[in-house]
Amino acid sequence: MKNLVEIQDLRVVFHLREGSVPAINGVSLSVPFNRTVGLVGESGCGKSITARAMMRILPPRAEIAAGRVLLAPREAQGSEPTELVDLDPDGERIRSIRGADMAMIFQEPMTSFSPVHTIGNQIIEAIRLHQKKSKRDARALAIEMLRLVRVPNAERRVDAYPYELSGGLRQRAMIAMALSCRPRLLIADEPTTALDVTIQAQILNLIERLQTDLRTSVLMITHDLGVIAETAHEVAVMYLGRIVEHGSADALFNNPRHPYTKGLLASVPRLSGGRRTRLASVPGSVPDVFSIPRGCPFHPRCESFMKGVCDAGPVPAFEKVAPGQRAACFLYAPCRKSLDATTAGATEASS
C-alpha cells in the first residue's frame, strides 16, 4: 500500500425509529505515511463518524453498510493489508489494532477518562493491554509519556484523577495515553475544542512535534480552518456525509474550487477588516438528513447554483479539477461530462 490507511466508498447508516438515514455516503480518503490530513466541515457533516467507523467504535444504531477501510501491514506482518470493515468490532483482532496501530484523541477528555480511576492507572491499562510489561515498568512508561507531552510534575500528576487537572492538562494526558503504544495513526477529533487560545496553540504545537519525532500519521478532525492551516499537509472538506473537495493545504487555501470551501474560507474572521465589517457566512443551513436535496446536496445554499443542472440528476462526481486538487461540483467540465453521460444513459434506457 502507498498509504497507511485507505478508505474506499465508505457508507455508514443510522437505523432510527423514523427510518434508516445515511450518515456517511461514499467517502473515499487516504492517510499517507508520516503525514497530517485535515478533515474539515460543519458540525454534523460526518467527520467524527468517519473516524469512529475506522476505529470500529460506531454507536449502537449505526452500521457500516458498504465500503472498505484498509490498514497497511507492519513490516513484520507481510504484505497484505488488514480489512478493518470485516473485523468483529468487539473481537480480539480489532482490540489489538486500537492503541497499537490506531489511536484516537477524543473531543472532550473529561468524558473520555473514567472519573473514578487515576490518569496513571488508565494509561497503564492501555500500555499493558498492548505491551508485555510489568505494572512497575508500565507505570514508568506512563510517567515518561506524561513528561513527553510536557505535563509538569509528571511523577505526581500520574496519580491525579481527571477532575483534579485543568482542561489543557487533561488533553495532554489524553494525548499521552493515545501515544503510549506508539500507534502508526493518531486520530485527533477536535483536540482544541473548549480550550483557550493559548492552550490551543500549545496542544497543536505538541501534536506537530510528536508527529515529527514519532513519525506518526495524523488525521486532524476539526471545523476550525485555522487549525487545519497550522497542521495539515492535505485537506479534505466534508459536507453532508460526502467529501466535496480534496487537495494539498496550499492549493485549498490559495485556490479553493468548491463553492462550499470558498464559503468556509470567506467566513474566517480577518484582522484586516474594519470594526463594522460584516462577517461573511455560508447562507442557509445543513439540510435534514431525511430530505436531502436532489442533485448536488449543497445547491440550496450555493451562490453559484445553476438551475436544471445542480438540482437535477445524480450528485456530481468527485473529479480532478486542477493538479493535485479534486472536487465534486458541476461548475467543472469533468463533473458536467459525468452528468451528461448519466442523463444520456437514462434517456436511452427509457426509450
Side-chain angles (χ1 to χ4, degrees):
M1 288 177 60
K2 295 181 180 180
N3 301 295
L4 176 61
V5 175
E6 293 182 1
I7 304 173
Q8 302 173 1
D9 197 28
L10 181 66
R11 299 173 188 272
V12 176
V13 175
F14 274 77
H15 300 291
L16 307 177
R17 187 178 305 171
E18 299 84 354
S20 296
V21 294
I24 304 298
N25 206 341
V27 165
S28 295
L29 180 67
S30 297
V31 182
F33 292 95
N34 308 324
R35 302 276 284 178
T36 298
V37 176
L39 189 57
V40 66
E42 292 174 282
S43 297
C45 70
K47 306 184 299 295
S48 296
I49 293 298
T50 300
R52 287 177 175 272
M54 294 169 61
M55 296 282 289
R56 302 305 311 278
I57 51 173
L58 287 170
R61 293 186 179 183
E63 71 166 348
I64 298 176
R68 309 180 72 191
V69 181
L70 301 174
L71 175 67
R74 289 180 178 268
E75 293 181 1
Q77 293 176 339
S79 59
E80 290 299 317
T82 301
E83 175 56 89
L84 300 181
V85 170
D86 292 341
L87 300 181
D88 178 1
D90 299 317
E92 183 178 345
R93 181 74 180 100
I94 191 65
R95 285 170 61 87
S96 68
I97 290 174
R98 296 187 198 120
D101 289 286
M102 303 166 63
M104 190 165 178
I105 304 171
F106 292 94
Q107 184 170 348
E108 178 45 65
M110 190 61 188
T111 58
S112 302
F113 279 118
S114 167
V116 297
H117 297 90
T118 65
I119 294 293
N121 281 340
Q122 295 177 68
I123 299 175
I124 289 168
E125 181 182 15
I127 293 171
R128 298 193 69 192
L129 181 65
H130 297 285
Q131 303 179 49
K132 295 180 180 179
K133 290 185 177 293
S134 66
K135 192 170 182 178
R136 181 176 180 178
D137 290 341
R139 178 182 171 86
L141 180 55
I143 294 172
E144 180 186 337
M145 292 306 302
L146 290 174
R147 286 201 194 104
L148 183 66
V149 298
R150 298 181 179 175
V151 172
N153 300 319
E155 297 84 353
R156 182 170 59 86
R157 301 282 189 182
V158 73
D159 295 318
Y161 288 89
Y163 68 85
E164 296 179 299
L165 302 181
S166 67
L169 288 180
R170 280 197 300 268
Q171 194 64 286
R172 290 172 186 269
M174 175 64 69
I175 296 172
M177 184 164 69
L179 294 175
S180 60
C181 297
R182 298 294 199 273
R184 295 186 290 160
L185 173 65
L186 177 65
I187 302 173
D189 187 4
E190 301 279 7
T192 58
T193 297
L195 300 177
D196 64 64
V197 291
T198 304
I199 303 301
Q200 284 184 21
Q202 293 176 4
I203 294 297
L204 292 178
N205 290 337
L206 173 63
I207 292 175
E208 186 176 10
R209 179 174 61 83
L210 294 174
Q211 191 263 343
T212 302
D213 293 347
L214 303 180
R215 299 186 62 78
T216 301
S217 297
V218 177
L219 179 62
M220 180 70 67
I221 299 173
T222 182
H223 64 276
D224 190 335
L225 288 169
V227 171
I228 294 297
E230 181 76 19
T231 60
H233 300 104
E234 301 176 17
V235 185
V237 181
M238 283 193 75
Y239 183 77
L240 211 62
R242 300 176 186 273
I243 292 179
V244 296
E245 184 166 359
H246 178 270
S248 69
D250 288 342
L252 189 134
F253 280 96
N254 293 321
N255 190 19
R257 297 288 178 157
H258 198 280
Y260 178 58
T261 309
K262 294 178 182 179
L264 290 178
L265 289 171
S267 65
V268 176
R270 287 171 171 76
L271 294 175
S272 58
R275 291 179 59 186
R276 297 185 179 276
T277 301
R278 186 177 182 84
L279 185 64
S281 64
V282 180
S285 58
V286 179
D288 190 322
V289 291
F290 288 100
S291 56
I292 296 176
R294 189 165 182 245
C296 175
F298 185 64
H299 83 255
R301 309 174 64 189
C302 183
E303 295 182 352
S304 302
F305 168 65
M306 298 177 290
K307 187 173 178 59
V309 176
C310 300
D311 57 349
V315 297
F318 193 60
E319 302 282 358
K320 181 179 179 180
V321 296
Q325 229 171 332
R326 302 176 72 196
C329 182
F330 289 125
L331 290 173
Y332 303 102
C335 302
R336 294 289 294 275
K337 288 179 181 178
S338 66
L339 174 63
D340 295 340
T342 303
T343 304
T347 303
E348 291 177 4
S350 63
S351 61

